[in-house]
Amino acid sequence: MADTTALPLQQLIASLDNTCLPKILQVCSGVYFQGSIYEISGSEVCFSTGDLIKVIGIELLSVCCEDIDNNEKFELPINHTGLFKVVPEEMPYNTVEEMVSLRPVGLDSCLPFTFTSRSKMTFDNFTVGAGTALTVLSIEHNTGQEDQVRCHVQGQQEASAEVHIPLSSHGQFIECESVERFTLREIMSSPCLRSRKFRFVNTTKCERPLVLTPIYQVNAIMHLRKNILKFPSSLEVDVVDVTELCKDVNFVTPLSLTEVLSKPEESFPAVVEILEGPETRSLFKCSWLPQISQNSHLVFHKVGTSAMVLLSSLKGRKTQQYFLVSQQYGGRFRRRPREFNSVYELYVASVQAPGLKFSVTRNCDEVEEEGLPALSVGEQLEIVRCERMELPCGSSTGQKQSVEALLCQRLQEADDGDENDDDEEEVKQEDEREEIFLPLYMQGHFVEVLTDNKKYKLRDLGKEFNLPLDVKVVSRDTELETDPLSGFACLRIEGAMLEPTIQASFPNKPDHCFEIPTQWLSMSVSFTRDPLPWPSGEPPKWHVDRVTEVTDTFFYEYRKQGNSDAAPPPRPPKRNLTSSKSCKKASKSSKKSSKGDKSKHRPDKSTPTKELANLTLNTKKRPPAPPPPAILDDQPPPIVPRKHSAAEVTTGKALPNTYVEREDSKKKVLVCEVEADVDSDHDYETVDDNLVAMMKAAQENVMFY
């Protein structure tokens, strides 16, 4: 045990800050005897007499408030919003020098402060009465003279003066209460204020003076233990600072992946041990992640920054997949036309690539009052620009509504004409290009029109085109054992990024490397002195995996970082039912005018009259008669005259056809054979003479053929 003064852990930790760390402490005594275990937040902490603790970080958690009168204690969070005021010391000071030197807060950092004297004092023909408040402004240090304090005196009728009081002046001096108010965070940030007593500004809560003590979370490592300990500084343990005596003691130093990046190049390659593995819910779905666990080993070859892109498979029957791919990927890609489900998506793509051409893949019906045009499958359009268009129907206030829309040109398909007329046709097509407005809120199904059939490397696609971009792998990366990208019909490049990475491998396969993105994976490692798993000076030829599959959570987190301020697509304007009806009536006015006066003589449906029954039967349209069959001879077939009986004419019955018997005609005729009987219980409709004449003419035509 070192021959130094032992202090409670709480007191010693309160005297430290992160700038003086690390510190090595040795356990002297306390409630934790040899082999005792104390459980804190689910982790076991064991302190024995003589144990060495290396403090590597402290974090302020809360403040312990101790009532001086009854020794009661309670805790307050560091972000407590209540205010505190300093409680002045009750003990009088015999000299000014004693008052200045014994002030626990320190004079230089806590000026000004106010005190009074119980007796009258005179300085250079200036008399200060008993009980007069004196505010210390500064300390005057004069060469060859006694040090003095420069004080401000507030007299009667707002008169004020300054007086210089020597430090050796005798009397009974009492400190006055200050008007300043402090928060807990302000008190804990000042070592001078932490040693004073305080009282709540709101005296109804606690009127008695309190001693405020900070409680820290201590991050430490112990000798011969690999994991990081986290415990509060309020543990009742006495420790001693042995930092200078234990400089040569070897502690296992846990490092995060971010701290590994700051290591010099000479530190690599090296064998590291995993002290704390990655989280169980990881952002990666790669093959090497399940093999990384606590107490396992890795080989860190080098650190650096890798250019990567994020790829996603298109939504379909299978689950959508996401890949983080290095731009050193050796496969070749070919562009694929992008699909769009709204005009707004077309607009976003046209901002990055002006002059975008697209084709319609599903018919769209025209909605005039909303400004939606009719589109047919196969139509090709080219985006000109985005501007505002006025809707045909105005709002309820009578003002016309204007919305943002894409101005597009319909592209005419090339006709199969003579080669001599090609130039004239092209000029004619340019003159006859039809302009059309597509509101941004319009839904539809469109596909990009591409004429590019070139093969690209992954790094070239990011230079020549804007992202996102749809591609397909046409030649796989031959350096990879299995290329997971080659089996997809279409992939979308979502974005590009620069990622700090660590090139690593497992000791049993040192030549098969992979890249660990340090910003997306959290684990703790420690450098070991184990030898490298290959002969000295003969490193193997490395094969680096360029494709890492990630989860949808990774994709959403990436999108959150890049598109947090992206504006949502526009909403369609609110429909005005009155204006919509007027627009529909205006568009159908020509159709109504062509119908004549038929609409004026519509019968009342509530009164079932004979005219309504006749109109109902006459308005039923029958299919036209089939065309006559082809006649081989030039002579027409003989015509057999039809004889009408008197009963047929008087009763209005239609007799069945005796020349050709057809089931359909029998059924139609039988419906009309029943006479209207007034005395009958059944309500049959009466057939008029016009209907009988029409049916007779149809039967004669059947006999003709």
Side-chain angles (χ1 to χ4, degrees):
M1 183 86 56
D3 187 13
T4 53
T5 305
L7 297 175
L9 178 65
Q10 175 80 351
Q11 181 179 347
L12 194 145
I13 295 298
S15 64
L16 303 177
D17 55 30
N18 284 302
T19 59
C20 65
L21 299 182
K23 287 286 187 179
I24 301 177
L25 309 179
Q26 190 174 31
V27 179
C28 298
S29 61
V31 298
Y32 304 98
F33 299 103
Q34 181 74 28
S36 63
I37 295 178
Y38 188 77
E39 184 176 351
I40 301 172
S41 300
S43 60
E44 294 180 351
V45 180
C46 177
F47 293 131
S48 302
T49 302
D51 282 349
L52 295 178
I53 304 172
K54 187 175 184 179
V55 180
I56 59 176
I58 56 176
E59 179 184 358
L60 183 60
L61 293 180
S62 58
V63 177
C64 177
C65 304
E66 182 180 0
D67 192 331
I68 299 177
D69 296 341
N70 53 18
N71 295 328
E72 291 183 358
K73 295 182 180 180
F74 59 92
E75 287 190 23
L76 293 176
I78 190 60
N79 56 357
H80 180 68
T81 57
L83 297 177
F84 298 83
K85 57 184 178 182
V86 179
V87 177
E89 296 290 341
E90 298 178 357
M91 180 184 66
Y93 301 98
N94 295 324
T95 64
V96 175
E97 183 178 9
E98 181 184 3
M99 180 181 58
V100 171
S101 60
L102 294 180
R103 276 179 57 83
V105 295
L107 181 63
D108 295 335
S109 60
C110 293
L111 288 176
F113 73 94
T114 306
F115 70 96
T116 60
S117 175
R118 291 182 178 178
S119 58
K120 181 176 65 175
M121 297 183 299
T122 303
F123 307 100
D124 297 333
N125 299 326
F126 187 84
T127 302
V128 179
T132 303
L134 299 169
T135 302
V136 179
L137 301 178
S138 64
I139 299 179
E140 303 292 335
H141 300 282
N142 298 320
T143 305
Q145 297 181 3
E146 184 181 1
D147 293 341
Q148 298 176 334
V149 290
R150 183 171 63 91
C151 301
H152 175 269
V153 182
Q154 186 69 38
Q156 297 179 353
Q157 298 179 355
E158 298 183 357
S160 61
E162 287 189 1
V163 60
H164 290 75
I165 303 177
L167 294 180
S168 59
S169 300
H170 288 268
Q172 288 187 338
F173 306 105
I174 301 174
E175 184 181 6
C176 298
E177 183 174 319
S178 177
V179 296
E180 291 182 294
R181 304 292 185 265
F182 304 95
T183 63
L184 278 181
R185 194 173 292 277
E186 291 173 341
I187 296 172
M188 293 299 105
S189 62
S190 172
C192 300
L193 290 177
R194 280 205 302 256
S195 60
R196 299 299 303 267
K197 300 181 182 67
F198 291 88
R199 181 183 288 114
F200 278 101
V201 173
N202 183 10
T203 55
T204 59
K205 186 171 184 178
C206 183
E207 299 181 358
R208 295 181 293 272
L210 303 172
V211 175
L212 306 182
T213 306
I215 298 178
Y216 295 89
Q217 176 179 276
V218 182
N219 298 335
I221 53 178
M222 297 185 66
H223 185 43
L224 301 179
R225 292 188 63 173
K226 299 177 182 179
N227 56 325
I228 299 178
L229 299 179
K230 296 181 179 181
F231 54 89
S233 60
S234 57
L235 296 182
E236 297 178 2
V237 178
D238 292 338
V239 293
V240 61
D241 187 354
V242 292
T243 305
E244 297 298 327
L245 301 178
C246 300
K247 288 183 177 180
D248 298 333
V249 177
N250 183 24
F251 283 85
V252 176
T253 305
L255 300 174
S256 64
L257 295 183
T258 305
E259 293 172 333
V260 172
L261 292 175
S262 61
K263 285 279 188 179
E265 296 182 1
E266 296 78 16
S267 304
F268 304 96
V271 179
V272 300
E273 182 180 358
I274 309 299
L275 300 181
E276 293 181 6
E279 298 179 357
T280 55
R281 187 180 179 184
S282 176
L283 301 177
F284 298 86
K285 296 174 64 176
C286 45
S287 59
W288 49 264
L289 185 62
Q291 304 181 48
I292 298 179
S293 58
Q294 188 174 0
N295 300 328
S296 62
H297 290 75
L298 288 174
V299 180
F300 282 178
H301 297 274
K302 61 179 180 179
V303 297
T305 303
S306 299
M308 295 184 173
V309 296
L310 181 61
L311 299 180
S312 67
S313 64
L314 298 185
K315 295 181 180 179
R317 295 181 179 178
K318 296 182 179 180
T319 305
Q320 194 170 12
Q321 293 178 267
Y322 306 92
F323 300 93
L324 197 60
V325 185
S326 172
Q327 291 193 12
Q328 301 299 323
Y329 175 80
R332 296 293 186 271
F333 295 86
R334 184 173 289 155
R335 292 183 62 194
R336 295 277 295 176
R338 288 174 288 179
E339 296 181 1
F340 307 98
N341 295 320
S342 66
V343 178
Y344 180 75
E345 295 180 10
L346 288 172
Y347 164 71
V348 174
S350 65
V351 171
Q352 300 177 349
L356 177 68
K357 298 179 181 179
F358 62 95
S359 176
V360 181
T361 59
R362 187 178 296 181
N363 293 334
C364 298
D365 296 331
E366 181 181 6
V367 183
E368 186 176 356
E369 62 269 16
E370 295 185 7
L372 304 181
L375 298 176
S376 302
V377 174
E379 285 190 79
Q380 293 189 5
L381 299 96
E382 180 179 359
I383 299 176
V384 179
R385 61 182 176 272
C386 180
E387 59 182 49
R388 299 194 72 85
M389 64 172 287
E390 291 186 356
L391 298 181
C393 298
S395 61
S396 58
T397 59
Q399 299 179 354
K400 291 186 176 181
Q401 297 187 67
S402 63
V403 296
E404 287 186 321
L406 284 183
L407 175 61
C408 304
Q409 286 184 344
R410 278 195 170 101
L411 302 178
Q412 302 292 337
E413 296 183 0
D415 297 333
D416 296 334
D418 297 336
E419 296 180 358
N420 298 332
D421 299 336
D422 288 345
D423 297 337
E424 297 179 1
E425 290 293 335
E426 290 180 1
V427 175
K428 185 177 180 181
Q429 288 179 10
E430 291 180 0
D431 296 338
E432 294 180 354
R433 280 189 176 181
E434 179 186 356
E435 292 185 347
I436 184 174
F437 283 97
L438 303 180
L440 295 189
Y441 54 79
M442 179 178 177
Q443 301 296 316
H445 296 269
F446 315 101
V447 63
E448 186 179 11
V449 176
L450 294 178
T451 58
D452 183 13
N453 201 27
K454 182 181 176 182
K455 296 181 181 180
Y456 296 90
K457 293 182 179 179
L458 186 58
R459 58 176 175 267
D460 297 334
L461 285 171
K463 297 177 182 178
E464 299 187 24
F465 304 101
N466 294 312
L467 303 180
L469 194 67
D470 288 358
V471 295
K472 174 181 171 58
V473 177
V474 292
S475 60
R476 60 181 297 272
D477 190 346
T478 56
E479 294 185 2
L480 301 179
E481 295 182 3
T482 56
D483 189 348
L485 304 181
S486 60
F488 291 94
C490 185
L491 293 168
R492 173 161 293 181
I493 304 178
E494 301 287 351
M497 63 193 82
L498 288 175
E499 287 294 330
T501 58
I502 301 175
Q503 185 173 312
S505 67
F506 293 101
N508 56 344
K509 292 183 178 180
D511 57 334
H512 188 82
C513 300
F514 49 89
E515 292 180 323
I516 302 177
T518 58
Q519 293 184 351
W520 301 92
L521 196 66
S522 176
M523 61 181 184
S524 176
V525 302
S526 66
F527 280 73
T528 66
R529 297 181 181 179
D530 297 348
L532 297 172
W534 58 75
S536 179
E538 299 179 5
K541 184 179 179 180
W542 298 328
H543 300 280
V544 184
D545 284 345
R546 305 298 183 187
V547 182
T548 303
E549 185 175 359
V550 296
T551 62
D552 53 353
T553 307
F554 182 98
F555 173 72
Y556 298 142
E557 291 294 332
Y558 171 78
R559 292 291 295 269
K560 242 191 258 184
Q561 295 178 2
N563 299 333
S564 57
D565 299 330
R571 300 180 62 182
K574 294 183 178 180
R575 291 188 177 184
N576 185 6
L577 299 179
T578 305
S579 60
S580 299
K581 291 179 180 179
S582 62
C583 288
K584 291 180 180 179
K585 290 179 180 179
S587 63
K588 297 180 180 180
S589 59
S590 60
K591 298 180 181 180
K592 291 185 177 181
S593 61
S594 63
K595 292 182 180 180
D597 299 334
K598 293 182 180 180
S599 60
K600 297 181 180 179
H601 302 285
R602 290 181 179 176
D604 188 4
K605 293 184 180 180
S606 61
T607 58
T609 62
K610 182 177 181 180
E611 290 79 3
L612 177 59
N614 295 337
L615 180 62
T616 306
L617 291 174
N618 293 333
T619 53
K620 292 183 179 179
K621 295 184 179 180
R622 298 180 180 270
I631 302 174
L632 300 178
D633 300 333
D634 296 336
Q635 299 297 328
I639 300 176
V640 179
R642 175 164 175 84
K643 297 180 180 180
H644 304 281
S645 62
E648 181 180 348
V649 177
T650 57
T651 60
K653 295 182 180 179
L655 298 178
N657 187 1
T658 58
Y659 184 74
V660 178
E661 292 185 0
R662 297 178 60 185
E663 293 296 327
D664 296 340
S665 57
K666 285 183 179 181
K667 294 179 181 178
K668 295 180 180 177
V669 172
L670 290 176
V671 175
C672 302
E673 284 182 348
V674 182
E675 294 182 334
D677 189 3
V678 180
D679 298 332
S680 176
D681 295 335
H682 301 283
D683 188 12
Y684 295 103
E685 292 183 344
T686 304
V687 182
D688 61 353
D689 297 337
N690 295 331
L691 179 59
V692 175
M694 292 174 58
M695 299 178 66
K696 290 178 181 179
Q699 291 176 355
E700 291 177 357
N701 293 334
V702 174
M703 291 182 59
F704 177 79
Y705 295 106

